[in-house]
Amino acid sequence: MARNNEKTVALKKSKRREVFLALALMSPYIITFVLFTFIPVILGVVFSFMRYNPYLPEDNVFIGFQNYLNIFNFDLEITKTFWGSFGTMFVFTAVAVPCLIIIPLALAYFVNMQPPGYKIFRALIYLPSVVSISIMGILFGNMFAGDGTGLINAWLGTNIEWLSGKPWQGDTLRWVVMLIASIWWQTGTNFVIFSGALRNVPKSLYEACEMDGGRKWKKILYVTLPNIKTSVTICLFNTLIGYLALYGQPYTLSDLSNADEMVSPMMFIQYYLGQSAFAKQTGFLCACAIVFGIISMIFGAVQRGAMADRKQQSKYETNCKSYLKNRALLYGDINEEKAEVDYE
Amino acid sequence: MKKKSLVIISTICALTCAFSFAACGGNNNDPTTTGTLKKDENGNVIFEDVEFKLMSVVSGTDKQPFLEMIESFNKTHRGEINVVVDTLYNDTFDETVQGQIKNRLNPPDLIMSHSSGHLNYLDNKLIQPFDEAIELSGITIDMKDYAQGFAKYSDLGKIGSLYSIPTDAQSTIIMYNKILLAKYSETVPVSRAEWLTVSESAKTGEGKEPILMSTTDGSTRDYIFPTAYLQNGGTMYSSDNHAEWSSNATNLDAMKKAIISIRELDTKGLMKKGLSKEAVSAKFVADEALFYIVTPWEVTEIMTNYAKAHGKTLAQVKAEDIGAMSTSKMFAMDANSANAEKIFCDSHGFMMSTTVTDINKKAAMLEFIKWFTETGTVGASWAEAGHISLSNIINGDSAYQQNDFVQNYISKFYPDINKLEGLGNTPLANTMTSCFGQILTDALKNNTDTQDAAIIAEQQKKYNEAYDFSKM
């Protein structure tokens, strides 16, 4: 009995040590997360229910849902600007996100076939991801500058205003440039994830597919895609959330005609929060941020729901299991009941 | 374990909420005055080792001369007053300084920044008036001694108070190629008509570019268009701080004329639009153009590049090759208008932080401001760094007037400091500057005035929307 107690105490001690070690290892992240993400989010939520001016604490008052009501009061011009900032951002996200899944996936697929020099290609594709968005903006801003100094214009011998125009008013070229820049800059990140996932697809499944007479496209459709679904989901989620928070591309790829146009909710919030003249509206801007956060979460949830694993196995995984089950039954390795459980 | 985590998260949430609600009410920041002043038999303040911190936005090529000027002040006031200077770039200046004052974290005592942003300091109760210190110390600073275009905003809307003391201003100027100009005119143009006539001659005579201005450079655009608007009789905003650029007939007319005054340069083939700053600068340096509209802090760099390109010294370039003239009257469609000589400027000014309580410190700051804004030699040194003094006392001082740089450049750029105008007391100086710039950029995309009214109305709406939001 005493020995049992000693064992239990030793076990508890060892568990406690494990927990302590885990916490110690996680603490840098936990502290940073709590200080710079969790607490600011809670503060943001609280401020969104207040008329809050960080400079004048004596004027701060709790006003309930007034800021949220203002966000949906379309008689206010600022409300129209806030919701207007979603427009072009949604269209860009709808175009950019599929591009940033399909292109890295295609590249990863071809590089995974290990053509000559594939290691160089792999490095070259990933390289742009290393630079910051400011560098990306400077590079593409100089390439697509509208005046005589633009490299593309110089090369084409044209004087196209690539980066000018206002939202829905002649700014299509600007969004195309942003799309090209985004693909160049961000393909590498998703490419690495897809490359890893593609290498982990079991070769036996491809062989099974081949035995069934499956050719290249069928292999992609019935073997590759179902087996990299988790990676696609992760990339899709990260890219979607990243593009809903669009800021850097329109900020860096602009010219004098649209430098102050707020083409995304992040730009709207940052523009006003960055000026002390609007300090009194901190509460309203926090409410805008919360509403924007909720909308992003809804998009994220819808995407996750659509991509959720509904326990559908690929055709070749099912066939393989069925084959193994039949073989085990034929050789009498297991009985019917156990086979049902093992090969379910 | 789950329970424990829940307790920890709930505690953090509760503490955060409590902390944020604690931010409501209380904490009155009204400034007070402590201490007493020592005075001599003549009533002059005796300073004994008073030190204060000055935070300045001067951080470009003019920083070194500024620091040298402060050093000379400290030398002459050794044992009495010592000024400790710190500088920050304009981009982060207001945000940083306002945070320092608000949080009482190493706040500056005296602030020298762009006057157009001063109202926000007052709105957020971060500055205090100089009046009490002036009264107690007897060190007088009278706004009648300063350029009226800026002095009129020194109360920041609180009539009878002195919150913001203007020091200096800057705006765009017109550089010219002396050799080319001599071919087509015996004198430097002093009106728009003369300017355009000379430019026409240069165009037809040698096929040179008559006028250069980068329409893709924000800083040139942000000075030149408000100048054109003021010269054509426009006012920046109404008495209730709203923009009336489109809804007021006089302002609309001024806006349209201002656009025409610049568009005309393009339609007459006198100025190419869409050129970058680098491109126009290169053309001017290569003797390919007659006039060049430019910001004053670029002058030295352009002259240096010109000297290098032509194998000359800077002194030779100044004497033989490059001159500069004022934008006064150059954009006024009616040369006889009382507004034709106005020039839009950005200015620097001093403010006192609410964190200062000691009357000795406050008086020391007044002594320093008086020295900086009312001493002729100081004004001349500051002018050499590219800043024109807004003090009538300095402008009337012989040491200032006889300074070589002031004689040859400053007095030619800005003939009358009382014709200089700033943005004044708008809380949204950045938005207003941006709206003005946007009007010009959008209007210059068209060769006719059909869209002008709509463009002006759009920017008026944008500014007023931002203003209403700031006051919502």
Side-chain angles (χ1 to χ4, degrees):
Chain A
M1 188 69 182
R3 194 175 278 179
N4 269 350
N5 275 347
E6 270 174 25
K7 261 190 180 176
T8 317
V9 170
L11 209 67
K12 271 187 178 172
K13 258 189 181 175
S14 140
K15 257 198 171 177
R16 229 178 264 161
R17 219 174 284 150
E18 251 178 48
V19 169
F20 178 76
L21 187 68
L23 280 174
L25 289 170
M26 287 194 299
S27 61
Y29 174 76
I30 290 175
I31 292 167
T32 317
F33 174 77
V34 169
L35 284 180
F36 299 110
T37 305
F38 188 69
I39 291 178
V41 167
I42 301 293
L43 284 173
V45 172
V46 175
F47 293 160
S48 72
F49 292 101
M50 292 165 74
R51 171 168 285 282
Y52 181 80
N53 181 345
Y55 296 105
L56 299 171
E58 64 269 27
D59 290 353
N60 296 344
V61 283
F62 181 77
I63 55 167
F65 283 91
Q66 191 54 51
N67 286 328
Y68 289 94
L69 292 174
N70 285 343
I71 288 176
F72 295 98
N73 178 0
F74 287 91
D75 290 336
L76 296 172
E77 288 298 326
I78 199 71
T79 301
K80 290 177 197 164
T81 309
F82 173 64
W83 290 109
S85 70
F86 281 81
T88 40
M89 183 267 294
F90 275 145
V91 176
F92 184 63
T93 305
V95 176
V97 172
C99 287
L100 279 160
I101 297 298
I102 293 164
I103 293 171
L105 183 57
L107 287 169
Y109 188 82
F110 288 117
V111 169
N112 208 42
M113 288 160 79
Q114 304 193 341
Y118 74 96
K119 284 184 180 171
I120 295 169
F121 285 123
R122 204 162 55 189
L124 286 176
I125 294 165
Y126 184 68
L127 211 57
S129 313
V130 178
V131 302
S132 70
I133 197 158
S134 319
I135 303 293
M136 183 276 282
I138 292 168
L139 282 173
F140 280 81
N142 281 316
M143 280 166 66
F144 289 94
D147 53 47
T149 57
L151 290 176
I152 301 292
N153 271 336
W155 183 51
L156 296 173
T158 53
N159 207 6
I160 302 167
E161 295 284 335
W162 294 96
L163 302 176
S164 69
K166 295 184 180 189
W168 309 111
Q169 292 172 38
D171 64 339
T172 314
L173 277 178
R174 182 186 176 211
W175 289 100
V176 169
V177 172
M178 275 195 256
L179 182 67
I180 295 168
S182 302
I183 291 169
W184 176 83
W185 182 52
Q186 283 189 310
T187 290
T189 315
N190 287 350
F191 165 81
V192 168
I193 297 170
F194 288 140
S195 290
L198 285 170
R199 273 200 299 275
N200 288 334
V201 178
K203 285 215 168 70
S204 59
L205 294 179
Y206 287 113
E207 285 161 10
C209 183
E210 268 174 24
M211 282 168 70
D212 262 10
R215 303 253 167 159
K216 210 173 230 175
W217 287 109
K218 290 213 167 172
K219 275 198 230 172
I220 293 171
L221 201 62
Y222 295 116
V223 180
T224 311
L225 289 178
N227 279 285
I228 61 163
K229 195 178 170 185
T230 315
S231 302
V232 173
T233 308
I234 291 167
C235 288
L236 194 57
F237 183 76
N238 287 345
T239 314
L240 180 71
I241 295 300
Y243 275 83
L244 286 174
L246 184 71
Y247 181 82
Q249 286 93 327
Y251 184 78
T252 55
L253 294 169
S254 60
D255 72 5
L256 280 179
S257 62
N258 52 33
D260 287 330
E261 293 294 335
M262 285 160 271
V263 293
S264 76
M266 283 293 278
M267 291 183 93
F268 173 91
I269 294 162
Q270 201 281 337
Y271 176 82
Y272 288 112
L273 270 184
Q275 297 185 54
S276 56
F278 300 102
K280 219 167 96 178
Q281 301 306 333
T282 304
F284 175 80
L285 294 166
C286 285
C288 289
I290 301 291
V291 167
F292 170 57
I294 290 169
I295 290 170
S296 298
M297 279 160 71
I298 291 169
F299 269 88
V302 168
Q303 181 265 323
R304 297 275 290 181
M307 296 292 288
D309 191 357
R310 293 194 180 84
K311 295 193 175 171
Q312 285 175 348
Q313 287 164 333
S314 79
K315 185 181 171 185
Y316 294 98
E317 219 176 330
T318 317
N319 286 348
C320 280
K321 280 186 179 172
S322 163
Y323 164 75
L324 291 170
K325 180 182 152 189
N326 290 338
R327 199 180 72 163
L329 285 170
L330 190 69
Y331 289 106
D333 292 347
I334 46 173
N335 61 27
E336 192 92 14
E337 210 172 285
K338 197 167 185 306
E340 281 299 323
V341 177
D342 285 1
Y343 296 101
E344 182 59 37
Chain B
M1 191 64 194
K2 270 185 183 173
K3 258 189 180 176
K4 266 187 190 172
S5 305
L6 211 65
V7 168
I8 293 169
I9 292 168
S10 308
T11 312
I12 295 173
C13 286
L15 284 173
T16 312
C17 290
F19 171 74
S20 51
F21 281 117
C24 301
N27 197 5
N28 194 338
N29 286 337
D30 285 343
T32 52
T33 299
T34 57
T36 49
L37 286 169
K38 267 190 188 176
K39 290 190 178 180
D40 63 16
E41 63 275 14
N42 297 320
N44 296 323
V45 179
I46 300 167
F47 295 104
E48 288 174 347
D49 283 326
V50 185
E51 185 173 281
F52 66 85
K53 185 182 165 189
L54 166 65
M55 179 64 93
S56 172
V57 76
V58 175
S59 51
T61 50
D62 44 3
K63 182 180 167 180
Q64 195 50 38
F66 181 70
L67 294 179
E68 285 166 14
M69 288 159 69
I70 304 294
E71 203 180 312
S72 90
F73 175 85
N74 286 340
K75 267 184 191 167
T76 53
H77 292 77
R78 188 163 288 158
E80 298 170 352
I81 302 170
N82 187 48
V83 185
V84 181
V85 197
D86 204 353
T87 63
L88 266 177
Y89 281 105
N90 188 40
D91 293 352
T92 53
F93 188 89
D94 288 334
E95 202 181 323
T96 309
V97 174
Q98 289 178 3
Q100 285 175 328
I101 299 173
K102 175 198 137 200
N103 299 314
R104 301 286 198 266
L105 287 173
N106 193 23
D109 302 307
L110 190 63
I111 305 145
M112 183 190 186
S113 64
H114 292 283
S115 308
S116 52
H118 285 189
L119 186 62
N120 289 325
Y121 283 80
L122 179 63
D123 282 348
N124 292 321
K125 295 186 182 173
L126 300 170
I127 53 169
Q128 57 178 308
F130 289 98
D131 305 273
E132 188 193 17
I134 289 174
E135 197 184 318
L136 292 173
S137 66
I139 302 167
T140 53
I141 290 177
D142 191 343
M143 280 302 107
K144 283 177 193 154
D145 297 329
Y146 293 78
Q148 287 313 295
F150 293 90
K152 65 185 175 188
Y153 299 119
S154 59
D155 60 4
L156 300 181
K158 302 264 181 198
I159 297 165
S161 299
L162 178 59
Y163 279 97
S164 167
I165 301 173
T167 61
D168 58 83
Q170 53 274 320
S171 184
T172 40
I173 58 163
I174 304 174
M175 295 174 83
Y176 59 84
N177 185 311
K178 283 184 177 177
I179 297 161
L180 276 177
L181 182 66
K183 286 184 186 174
Y184 304 106
S185 173
E186 288 175 1
T187 54
V188 177
V190 289
S191 69
R192 180 175 175 83
E194 284 179 30
W195 187 42
L196 296 189
T197 307
V198 176
S199 299
E200 286 279 4
S201 308
K203 182 186 146 197
T204 48
E206 281 182 80
K208 300 274 184 188
E209 298 275 354
I211 301 167
L212 291 173
M213 182 179 93
S214 170
T215 50
T216 63
D217 173 46
S219 54
T220 314
R221 178 192 76 163
D222 293 346
Y223 284 104
I224 216 70
F225 187 64
T227 297
Y229 176 62
L230 289 173
Q231 289 185 1
N232 287 291
T235 47
M236 294 296 182
Y237 42 77
S238 63
S239 53
D240 66 352
N241 270 324
H242 280 87
E244 290 185 335
W245 310 323
S246 166
S247 50
N248 176 298
T250 312
N251 287 339
L252 182 61
D253 184 52
M255 272 286 179
K256 285 181 173 177
K257 281 180 178 166
I259 293 169
I260 290 167
S261 74
I262 297 169
R263 183 189 282 137
E264 199 178 60
L265 302 178
D266 170 52
T267 53
K268 285 185 173 176
L270 303 177
M271 182 191 85
K272 275 185 191 161
K273 55 186 186 184
L275 292 176
S276 69
K277 197 165 140 181
E278 293 76 18
V280 290
S281 180
K283 274 177 186 275
F284 189 74
V285 167
D287 278 340
E288 285 176 24
L290 176 52
F291 296 107
Y292 180 15
I293 302 169
V294 70
T295 45
W297 48 89
E298 292 171 84
V299 172
T300 310
E301 189 188 339
I302 292 163
M303 285 193 177
T304 310
N305 289 344
Y306 190 94
K308 271 184 199 165
H310 297 267
K312 293 185 171 186
T313 64
L314 203 56
Q316 279 176 314
V317 171
K318 281 181 188 174
E320 300 162 9
D321 300 292
I322 296 178
M325 60 186 224
S326 172
T327 54
S328 172
K329 290 187 182 177
M330 296 305 159
F331 298 94
M333 300 303 277
D334 175 7
N336 300 318
S337 157
N339 301 304
E341 290 175 43
K342 285 184 178 174
I343 297 174
F344 173 77
C345 286
D346 188 13
S347 65
H348 288 134
F350 286 116
M351 297 178 288
M352 179 163 49
S353 162
T354 43
T355 52
V356 185
T357 56
D358 182 10
I359 185 64
N360 287 288
K361 216 181 230 189
K362 290 181 182 182
M365 282 190 255
L366 286 175
E367 185 74 11
F368 170 76
I369 293 169
K370 206 169 169 63
W371 172 84
F372 194 85
T373 60
E374 295 184 7
T375 314
T377 48
V378 175
S381 302
W382 199 217
E384 284 173 4
H387 301 274
I388 174 173
S389 172
L390 290 175
S391 156
N392 287 321
I393 296 173
I394 285 182
N395 276 272
D397 191 291
S398 58
Y400 180 77
Q401 288 171 345
Q402 284 161 18
N403 177 279
D404 182 49
F405 192 79
V406 173
Q407 271 185 350
N408 290 316
Y409 291 96
I410 294 290
S411 58
K412 287 178 181 169
F413 299 163
Y414 315 108
D416 180 359
I417 63 163
N418 288 306
K419 297 286 182 185
L420 306 182
E421 291 258 353
L423 276 179
N425 287 334
T426 168
L428 301 177
N430 290 340
T431 310
M432 183 168 278
T433 307
S434 153
C435 289
F436 266 90
Q438 201 64 63
I439 290 172
L440 183 64
T441 301
D442 290 349
L444 284 186
K445 283 182 181 168
N446 313 310
N447 288 328
T448 61
D449 60 1
T450 48
Q451 297 293 312
D452 290 356
I455 290 167
I456 298 161
E458 185 193 338
Q459 293 305 319
Q460 175 182 306
K461 184 173 168 272
K462 190 176 163 186
Y463 175 83
N464 288 339
E465 176 195 318
Y467 182 77
D468 290 339
F469 178 53
S470 76
K471 299 292 168 194
M472 192 171 86

